[in-house]
Amino acid sequence: MNRSLRWRIVLTVCVALLAIAYVLPTFPSLVTDGLKRILPERQISLGLDLKGGMHLTLGVDVKKAVANSMAQTGRNLRDEAREQKIAVFRPEVTPEGMLTFALLKKDQQKQLEDLLAASFRQVQIVNRADEGNDRMVYSLALKPEDQTNLEKLTIEQAVKTIRNRIDQFGVSEPDIRRQQDNRIQVQLPGLDDPERAIQIIGKTAHLEFMLVDDTADVSKAVQGVLPPGDALYFLHKKLADGTISKQPMVLKSEVVLTGEYITDARTQFDSYGQPYVSLNFSDRGAKIFERITAENVKKRLAIVLDGAIYSAPVIQEKIGGGRASISGQFTTDEAHDLALVLRAGSLPAPVEILEERTIGPSLGQESIDKGVLSALIGGALILVFMIVYYGFAGIIADIALIFNILLIMAGLAGFGATLTLPGIAGIILTIGMAVDANVLIFERIREELRKGFSPRAAVDEGYSRATLTILDANVTTIIAAVVLYQFGTGPIRGFAVTLTLGILASMFTALFVSRILFDYWLKKRPANAALSI
């Protein structure tokens, strides 16, 4: 055996062993405890159409994101105006998403507009009206290009936040992607608790700290009579029977701190074993929280999440260290989920579930069975045909084909790709293409034999003439598969992945592995021995 053939055999055996090592974990019944310690942990992941699970289409309320941005702009404007001694009164966001406020001294008009031009370039003045009494009312709106950019960033941040939440929830192989019309598609294969997942995904987790106005008359507030600068909220309390009671409470409209400064959120337990959520703030958030608590000792500070008050403790003293907690008679799962969404970050805008579909495991198993059955039948027919039509060479083609399928499975496991139903179709298509490559080679060899070449010369010439043709055909198919992967979604990508893996494996087995088998066979036979092909 010459050196070239020897190293090619060694390389093929190494590739085969590596492929088996990656495929075995997918079949746990074949893996012993000893093998588990040395084999990779990755298994072939099944897609939503095979494993079952949940499909959600979410709509993102980008108008709310614009309103939130304008509200934050109003708070920043008020703070900076205060530092420059400009009298700005009550910035508010209108239902149309515009920011309105009053300038209490008209002679500060130029000073205010210089501040807007210098520090708030994302907004433009839509209207300014003289209301008398030395007051001017301004209306601001986002510039069109900034609004478009904000809406785009809102969707991207929502996708990122949902992905973070799903990752921490523990669902493997989630498929989360943006769609048109401010929509997000979420596919969660193998999910066994869809209701809890929906609650985690849909929770906006917009956290605010607001002071309680204890001087306000709550009964009048419930009837719609509120003091200026106040708002009516409800304190949610869970009763023993699991229902939620809502206690009205009047809060100062001004948000003194938001959840954007949270760096960590964890579930903790108090001395009675009751779970609560502890929060850590960033350095800036810690300073703000310390200042707020120092200025409002003996007052109540409401913790508002998504518009509902979870707790409103009395501030006993200045709180330093950047820590706070949310208690609300949670169950352990509820506290864990709340900490999860706060840790993953709040959604930039509320999301609405537009479509919800659950695929049961029985349907997924049925799809697997049919896909595997069609692959087995198609593969068996091809194996038999190749032996009948090409004799000994057909056996070589069959060995290469089985090796090809093994490499595809190993590639799916090794690269962490997801096998979908279209992916199985891609494997079946690849089987046909792999055989086609062998047919091209064998027909070239037959032509050379008919010309009177020896088997050795016919094999050399056959592979030489067929190689370029096989490479051309497969490279163009790979280009098509790359385009499918780039612009396709979900199962289409699964098809593109298996097709690409199959083509690469096909070229390796058809041009490299089958050639080794021919060379080894010819090495062991007399030079004038006939070649069954």
Side-chain angles (χ1 to χ4, degrees):
M1 187 182 298
N2 61 41
R3 180 178 297 179
S4 171
L5 180 58
R6 188 180 300 116
W7 77 257
R8 283 187 289 154
I9 291 175
V10 171
L11 176 62
T12 302
V13 170
C14 290
V15 171
L17 291 176
L18 191 63
I20 291 171
Y22 273 100
V23 170
L24 273 180
T26 304
F27 305 95
S29 59
L30 302 178
V31 181
T32 63
D33 292 339
L35 284 174
K36 283 182 181 177
R37 286 194 289 270
I38 58 175
L39 292 178
E41 294 182 356
R42 288 183 176 179
Q43 298 181 354
I44 297 176
S45 301
L46 301 181
L48 186 67
D49 51 354
L50 296 180
K51 195 174 183 180
M54 172 172 281
H55 171 100
L56 296 173
T57 301
L58 308 174
V60 182
D61 186 356
V62 293
K63 290 184 178 178
K64 182 64 176 176
V66 172
N68 291 340
S69 174
M70 294 302 285
Q72 183 61 46
T73 300
R75 289 192 287 269
N76 294 340
L77 173 63
R78 181 196 55 202
D79 293 342
E80 294 204 22
R82 185 181 298 167
E83 292 178 1
Q84 299 189 21
K85 311 296 184 189
I86 303 173
V88 169
F89 182 65
R90 194 180 294 176
E92 292 179 338
V93 179
T94 67
E96 294 77 25
M98 287 195 294
L99 176 66
T100 65
F101 61 90
L103 176 65
L104 300 183
K105 297 178 181 179
K106 286 199 310 187
D107 59 351
Q108 292 182 324
Q109 179 178 348
K110 183 178 184 309
Q111 194 178 351
L112 171 68
E113 294 185 7
D114 287 344
L115 172 64
L116 290 174
S119 302
F120 300 91
R121 296 178 181 175
Q122 75 276 21
V123 296
Q124 59 186 359
I125 300 173
V126 178
N127 188 34
R128 59 172 75 81
D130 187 347
E131 287 201 337
N133 298 327
D134 204 25
R135 290 165 57 106
M136 290 193 69
V137 175
Y138 278 79
S139 296
L140 307 181
L142 278 175
K143 293 177 180 175
E145 60 272 21
D146 288 292
Q147 179 159 340
T148 302
N149 189 44
L150 174 63
E151 292 175 353
K152 178 184 176 185
L153 291 176
T154 298
I155 302 296
E156 291 176 354
Q157 186 182 342
V159 170
K160 182 179 178 181
T161 302
I162 291 172
R163 189 181 302 280
N164 287 340
R165 292 181 181 183
I166 293 299
D167 287 345
Q168 296 194 30
F169 187 54
V171 177
S172 61
E173 297 295 330
D175 184 9
I176 304 165
R177 64 185 70 247
R178 179 182 180 179
Q179 294 187 316
Q180 293 181 340
D181 300 328
N182 301 325
R183 296 184 176 188
I184 298 173
Q185 172 188 286
V186 180
Q187 292 189 338
L188 307 174
L191 190 70
D192 56 3
D193 193 350
E195 291 302 323
R196 190 177 171 196
I198 289 175
Q199 290 180 0
I200 289 176
I201 293 172
K203 189 183 283 293
T204 308
H206 186 58
L207 186 65
E208 299 169 313
F209 292 81
M210 305 166 75
L211 290 169
V212 179
D213 187 356
D214 288 315
T215 62
D217 188 332
V218 176
S219 59
K220 287 185 177 179
V222 173
Q223 297 172 3
V225 181
L226 280 166
D230 282 0
L232 181 64
Y233 283 78
F234 291 90
L235 174 64
H236 288 207
K237 281 189 175 180
K238 182 182 288 185
L239 303 179
D241 60 358
T243 58
I244 302 292
S245 75
K246 297 181 179 179
Q247 176 187 340
M249 192 173 286
V250 179
L251 307 183
K252 297 285 187 184
S253 298
E254 180 184 4
V255 177
V256 295
L257 184 64
T258 66
E260 66 179 308
Y261 299 105
I262 293 175
T263 57
D264 193 16
R266 301 284 172 186
T267 303
Q268 305 285 352
F269 295 88
D270 61 19
S271 56
Y272 299 100
Q274 181 67 29
Y276 66 95
V277 178
S278 67
L279 307 174
N280 287 344
F281 294 111
S282 63
D283 292 342
R284 178 171 168 75
K287 290 178 181 176
I288 296 174
F289 192 65
E290 184 174 354
R291 176 178 59 77
I292 293 167
T293 52
E295 294 174 352
N296 297 282
V297 174
K298 302 303 179 185
K299 295 181 181 178
R300 287 194 290 172
L301 181 65
I303 301 173
V304 183
L305 181 68
D306 293 343
I309 303 173
Y310 271 70
S311 57
V314 177
I315 301 171
Q316 299 294 347
E317 58 185 355
K318 180 176 74 174
I319 303 175
R323 291 183 178 179
S325 63
I326 304 175
S327 57
Q329 295 178 311
F330 302 116
T331 64
T332 302
D333 281 347
E334 289 170 342
H336 174 74
D337 292 348
L338 177 58
L340 185 155
V341 296
L342 290 173
R343 193 167 56 244
S346 64
L347 287 172
V351 295
E352 177 188 5
I353 296 176
L354 303 177
E355 181 187 4
E356 175 189 343
R357 286 188 283 118
T358 301
I359 300 174
S362 59
L363 181 58
Q365 188 59 49
E366 183 182 351
S367 301
I368 294 173
D369 293 342
K370 288 183 177 178
V372 171
L373 180 63
S374 41
L376 289 175
I377 293 175
L381 289 176
I382 289 173
L383 293 177
V384 172
F385 171 80
M386 292 301 289
I387 294 175
V388 171
Y389 195 73
Y390 287 108
F392 171 75
I395 296 175
I396 291 180
D398 290 347
I399 294 173
L401 181 60
I402 294 171
F403 196 11
N404 184 15
I405 296 173
L406 176 66
L407 291 179
I408 295 174
M409 295 300 175
L412 288 173
F415 291 110
T418 301
L419 180 62
T420 61
L421 199 57
I424 293 178
I427 294 174
I428 297 172
L429 176 61
T430 301
I431 291 173
M433 296 180 67
V435 172
D436 187 52
N438 287 118
V439 169
L440 279 173
I441 295 170
F442 293 171
E443 291 302 322
R444 297 292 182 275
I445 295 175
R446 277 182 169 181
E447 289 176 6
E448 302 306 320
L449 289 174
R450 283 196 288 269
K451 291 178 183 175
F453 282 69
S454 68
R456 161 62 65 187
V459 169
D460 290 342
E461 189 64 20
Y463 273 92
S464 175
R465 291 177 56 193
T467 298
L468 193 58
T469 305
I470 294 171
L471 288 176
D472 284 347
N474 286 330
V475 167
T476 53
T477 307
I478 286 179
I479 292 173
V482 170
V483 173
L484 276 180
Y485 183 85
Q486 181 66 31
F487 297 102
T489 60
I492 302 300
R493 281 191 159 193
F495 174 79
V497 169
T498 53
L499 184 61
T500 305
L501 289 173
I503 291 171
L504 294 175
S506 168
M507 286 193 289
F508 176 73
T509 54
L511 298 177
F512 193 80
V513 177
S514 64
R515 178 65 187 271
I516 292 174
L517 296 174
F518 271 116
D519 287 348
Y520 185 80
W521 183 84
L522 291 170
K523 187 78 178 175
K524 298 294 182 184
R525 303 283 293 179
N528 58 352
L531 177 61
S532 174
I533 188 169

